[in-house]
Amino acid sequence: MQAIILAAGMGKRLGKYTRNQTKCMVEVAGKTLLQRAAEALRQAGITDCILVVGYEAERLVKYAATEIEGIRFEFVYNRDYDKTNNIYSMYLAREQLVRDDTILLESDLIFEPKLLQEILRMPEPNIVAVASYEQWMDGTVALLDENGNVRDFIDKQHFRYDEAGSYYKTVNIYKFSRDFLARQYLPFLEAYIRAYGVDQYYESILKTIAHIDKARLKAYVLPQGMRWYEIDDAQDLDIANTLFARKEDRLAAYECRYGGYWRFSGLKDFCYLVNPYFPPEKMVDQLTYFFKPLLTQYPSGMSIQKLSAGKMFQVEDEYLLVGNGAAELISVLGRAMTGRTLTLLPTFNEYDRCFENCDLVPLFAKTCDFAPTAGQIVAALADCDNLILINPDNPSGHFFEADELEQILDYCQANGKRCIIDESFADFAERDVRYTLLSNEILQKYDTLIVVKSISKSYGVPGLRLGVMASADAALMERMRRMLPIWNINSFAEYFFQIYGLYAAQYKKACDEIARQRRRMIDRLNRISFLRAYPSQANYVMCAVTDGRASGDLAEALLEDDILIKDLSEKQGFDGAPFIRIAVKDEQDNAALYCALEKLECKL
């Protein structure tokens, strides 16, 4: 068995990373792609490799010959690399290809070495590695018959999204027998080049062969969790660096992304806080139905968005601002505020980051086991001008019930202190204590009150980037309006406001289900010997890690099972103490979390 790696291309889409080197010399998590491919070949027992070179050929040849151990390279030169495609690279290596059975690899791939080992174990002589199609994938896909044979290849031009559920993405790793290459593939390749030229792809030949003799090409479907990635551009490289990060670096690689985890197949995100029970499918269908006009037309301006938000929350529009997520409104509010400002620590980082014109006065919640009383808040406010309070608190989940918060609001109103209450998670509180400050009556009673609410978190639509802020302080709201662009939310977000009323009853049921799942989660987490779960009224639970291990170590261990949680130890206010935060998700995902934690407990 031999291998062939096609590495003649220029890799222009990788920009600066291939300015003076080929794709296969680009590093991912500390190793070049060629190093990784060579390691996989050696582990599979393959030591002979044909390397087709072109762009930066001299540098690549020297690198392969001097830096890659355990592989005997034979170099084939594609002098016309800038005018041809990979079909011509295959054609140039035709004499070498008929010597032995061959593993074909493309040079921009990163994959787990066991992938090659599994392909070689299969008895079928001709194998196409494929993966179940997912949204992040691009390029040629395959259709399989009921026996797992490839019956067709679909290129980008003929890709149909309404049929994507039946597609399998080609991984661009193949096993071909010498007989297949000599008798079928290469004769077709030569004929195809004569007919269509050299600016084509080798998959076109496979498509033709699959039509003629469907049983010739067997699919190896990658199992769930087997990592691989095709690196075409800088974003692909960034994702690959996360997927294949060293164990000690992997958690940090995920955390610094701040989302976008849909790109990582199989990852269960217990870090970011999103309602898994809303929106309902019918609402999604309604948004999908209007996708084209929402995509191709401008949203309304700020004054109209306020009307839509006022309808949703039953609040006068002059009290409201709509933001591109609560984060935008927090940022603008931070620029508008001055004075000594009391804030609980730890807290949501955006308040600490954005209130740069304020002198932030911390009240360390850890000193009262993360459950401060209204009296403690009032006492600490004596020499402050403003208060920032997240209720339920993030990350602890501590909740001031209505009578406790009223005590704080009364004090602030009587003493002229601005009171910023972020109630982004309040809808998840148990029904018997659930309340909102978003009402005309409350806003009129407390004109020093500013209410912030993230719609992304509680309504399950973080991709829409929606948030609202409310206050009866007309001068402050007008000042903030002038800081915002006239179009600060998109048409999809506007339409969500418009149709929400049709689904309001289902939203309340979704919040009740979160409360039910949270009760179960707190109970299950407290059964884990190394965790102490804190009471919570949010859609997350904070836990202390009690067995002496670092919370980061626990987070890294869970990531081995593709479960991402929030390590809180480095957050201001924890002083390195081992705490974690776990989002409440649906029953199936929660069960996977409990299973992973119990597995770790068994290892103690």
Side-chain angles (χ1 to χ4, degrees):
M1 180 71 70
Q2 62 182 359
I4 180 172
I5 299 177
L6 305 181
M10 299 176 68
K12 290 181 179 180
R13 283 185 285 173
L14 271 166
K16 63 182 180 180
Y17 298 101
T18 51
R19 195 164 292 149
N20 302 114
Q21 63 182 9
T22 66
K23 275 187 180 183
C24 64
M25 294 176 68
V26 171
E27 283 195 5
V28 177
K31 294 181 181 180
T32 68
L33 292 175
L34 188 58
Q35 282 178 308
R36 291 179 176 276
E39 288 175 4
L41 290 171
R42 288 196 302 269
Q43 290 179 35
I46 300 172
T47 55
D48 292 318
C49 181
I50 305 153
L51 190 61
V52 183
V53 299
Y55 173 67
E56 290 289 339
E58 289 184 10
R59 184 173 182 181
L60 176 55
V61 168
K62 181 180 179 181
Y63 174 75
T66 60
E67 301 295 329
I68 305 297
E69 298 179 351
I71 299 292
R72 291 185 295 271
F73 286 104
E74 180 176 354
F75 302 101
V76 173
Y77 289 80
N78 182 349
R79 309 289 182 186
D80 299 315
Y81 62 85
D82 57 341
K83 299 186 287 291
T84 62
N85 223 311
N86 61 21
I87 195 172
Y88 189 58
S89 290
M90 287 286 284
Y91 174 76
L92 291 174
R94 62 194 182 279
E95 292 183 6
Q96 289 83 358
L97 288 173
V98 296
R99 294 176 187 163
D100 201 350
D101 299 340
T102 300
I103 292 289
L104 166 63
L105 304 172
E106 293 196 18
S107 65
D108 56 1
L109 289 176
I110 184 169
F111 55 91
E112 293 186 37
K114 62 183 177 182
L115 196 165
L116 287 188
Q117 297 165 38
E118 292 298 320
I119 288 177
L120 290 176
R121 286 193 190 101
M122 295 179 69
E124 293 84 2
N126 303 301
I127 305 292
V128 180
V130 298
S132 297
Y133 181 79
E134 297 182 41
Q135 293 95 327
W136 59 266
M137 295 175 176
D138 186 31
T140 301
V141 297
L143 292 174
L144 309 186
D145 65 19
E146 63 278 7
N147 297 315
N149 298 309
V150 178
R151 62 180 178 87
D152 201 1
F153 291 89
I154 310 294
D155 58 25
K156 291 182 182 180
Q157 184 178 353
H158 298 95
F159 188 102
R160 292 178 56 92
Y161 283 97
D162 58 342
E163 296 180 3
S166 63
Y167 289 161
Y168 291 83
K169 174 70 182 75
T170 54
V171 178
N172 297 330
I173 297 177
Y174 303 85
K175 180 178 78 172
F176 295 138
S177 70
R178 175 185 177 184
D179 183 70
F180 170 80
L181 289 167
R183 294 177 179 271
Q184 294 192 59
Y185 188 84
L186 292 175
F188 273 108
L189 183 146
E190 292 184 15
Y192 202 91
I193 287 177
R194 286 196 299 270
Y196 299 105
V198 293
D199 190 20
Q200 304 292 326
Y201 296 92
Y202 66 77
E203 294 97 335
S204 301
I205 314 302
L206 297 175
K207 179 180 178 71
T208 302
I209 292 172
H211 286 170
I212 294 172
D213 188 351
K214 297 178 182 178
R216 283 288 185 180
L217 298 172
K218 186 76 172 180
Y220 169 70
V221 181
L222 273 65
Q224 181 71 32
M226 183 178 283
R227 294 171 298 159
W228 73 282
Y229 217 82
E230 183 179 6
I231 302 171
D232 286 324
D233 54 36
Q235 188 173 57
D236 290 339
L237 179 60
D238 176 69
I239 292 169
N241 270 305
T242 300
L243 271 175
F244 287 85
R246 291 173 296 189
K247 184 178 179 180
E248 63 271 22
D249 299 329
R250 195 172 174 217
L251 180 63
Y254 277 105
E255 287 178 336
C256 72
R257 305 186 70 84
Y258 299 103
Y261 297 132
W262 52 270
R263 301 175 186 273
F264 299 91
S265 174
L267 184 71
K268 289 182 171 58
D269 175 17
F270 284 86
C271 183
Y272 282 83
L273 311 170
V274 179
N275 187 344
Y277 295 104
F278 197 85
E281 283 302 315
K282 188 174 181 181
M283 189 180 199
V284 175
D285 290 344
Q286 190 169 352
L287 284 161
T288 303
Y289 181 77
F290 284 96
F291 183 89
K292 187 172 182 180
L294 296 175
L295 179 69
T296 58
Q297 298 187 37
Y298 270 86
S300 302
M302 187 189 307
S303 61
I304 305 303
Q305 306 295 6
K306 291 193 304 166
L307 293 173
S308 300
K311 175 185 174 184
M312 179 171 173
F313 293 106
Q314 297 298 295
V315 172
E316 295 294 336
D317 66 280
E318 67 259 30
Y319 298 153
L320 286 168
L321 282 177
V322 177
N324 182 19
E328 180 184 46
L329 298 171
I330 294 168
S331 176
V332 172
L333 180 61
R335 300 204 305 272
M337 295 283 290
T338 58
R340 287 174 59 81
T341 302
L342 181 68
T343 179
L344 282 177
L345 283 182
T347 190
F348 180 45
N349 287 343
E350 286 300 286
Y351 287 100
D352 184 48
R353 186 179 71 85
C354 295
F355 279 59
E356 56 188 24
N357 297 326
C358 295
D359 179 14
L360 294 179
V361 179
L363 175 61
F364 291 99
K366 190 180 174 199
T367 61
C368 50
D369 204 24
F370 302 98
T373 65
Q376 288 172 312
I377 298 292
V378 167
L381 269 171
D383 62 347
C384 292
D385 306 299
N386 315 302
L387 168 67
I388 299 171
L389 201 63
I390 300 175
N391 190 46
D393 178 55
N394 181 8
S396 73
H398 172 68
F399 185 60
F400 288 100
E401 295 188 9
D403 58 341
E404 297 176 286
L405 196 59
E406 185 177 13
Q407 180 183 342
I408 297 171
L409 293 175
D410 286 341
Y411 175 83
C412 289
Q413 182 69 20
N415 292 276
K417 299 177 188 291
R418 290 199 189 277
C419 183
I420 301 159
I421 305 294
D422 187 323
E423 61 168 49
S424 294
F425 307 102
D427 293 353
F428 299 125
E430 296 289 346
R431 184 180 288 192
D432 60 343
V433 297
R434 190 182 301 166
Y435 65 93
T436 180
L437 301 178
L438 276 174
S439 79
N440 293 321
E441 181 182 2
I442 292 175
L443 293 169
Q444 290 162 2
K445 180 179 178 180
Y446 301 107
D447 62 6
T448 61
L449 171 64
I450 302 166
V451 182
V452 178
K453 189 176 187 69
S454 167
I455 292 172
S456 299
K457 298 177 177 69
S458 50
Y459 292 83
V461 287
L464 294 185
R465 306 306 306 135
L466 260 179
V468 296
M469 182 175 289
S471 176
D473 185 334
L476 174 67
M477 296 299 277
E478 180 57 31
R479 183 182 174 193
M480 291 181 59
R481 283 188 191 102
R482 291 196 298 268
M483 295 181 184
L484 289 167
I486 188 170
W487 292 294
N488 65 325
I489 71 169
N490 60 55
S491 296
F492 296 94
E494 178 181 357
Y495 190 61
F496 179 87
F497 273 141
Q498 181 178 327
I499 65 175
Y500 166 76
L502 300 173
Y503 306 97
Q506 289 165 272
Y507 175 67
K508 291 180 180 178
K509 290 180 181 178
C511 292
D512 290 342
E513 182 58 25
I514 285 286
R516 187 177 77 87
Q517 292 293 340
R518 179 182 61 239
R519 291 193 298 272
R520 294 185 64 187
M521 176 174 281
I522 291 172
D523 177 63
R524 290 295 296 270
L525 294 177
N526 276 326
R527 296 185 206 173
I528 302 296
S529 61
F530 53 81
L531 293 179
R532 174 199 169 194
Y534 281 72
S536 174
Q537 291 288 354
N539 64 333
Y540 47 86
V541 177
M542 187 179 77
C543 297
V545 183
T546 60
D547 65 348
R549 85 173 88 189
S551 50
D553 291 343
L554 175 58
E556 288 176 1
L558 287 171
L559 199 51
E560 291 298 300
D561 281 328
D562 285 328
I563 289 174
L564 179 66
I565 64 170
K566 180 69 173 177
D567 169 24
L568 298 171
S569 60
E570 298 301 316
K571 193 175 179 69
Q572 190 178 7
F574 284 102
D575 303 319
F579 284 82
I580 60 173
R581 189 192 66 197
I582 300 174
V584 178
K585 297 177 71 69
D586 63 29
E587 193 162 357
Q588 182 177 350
D589 282 354
N590 291 343
L593 169 73
Y594 307 146
C595 181
L597 286 168
E598 288 163 0
K599 186 168 68 174
L600 290 176
E601 190 171 34
C602 289
K603 293 180 179 179
L604 294 178

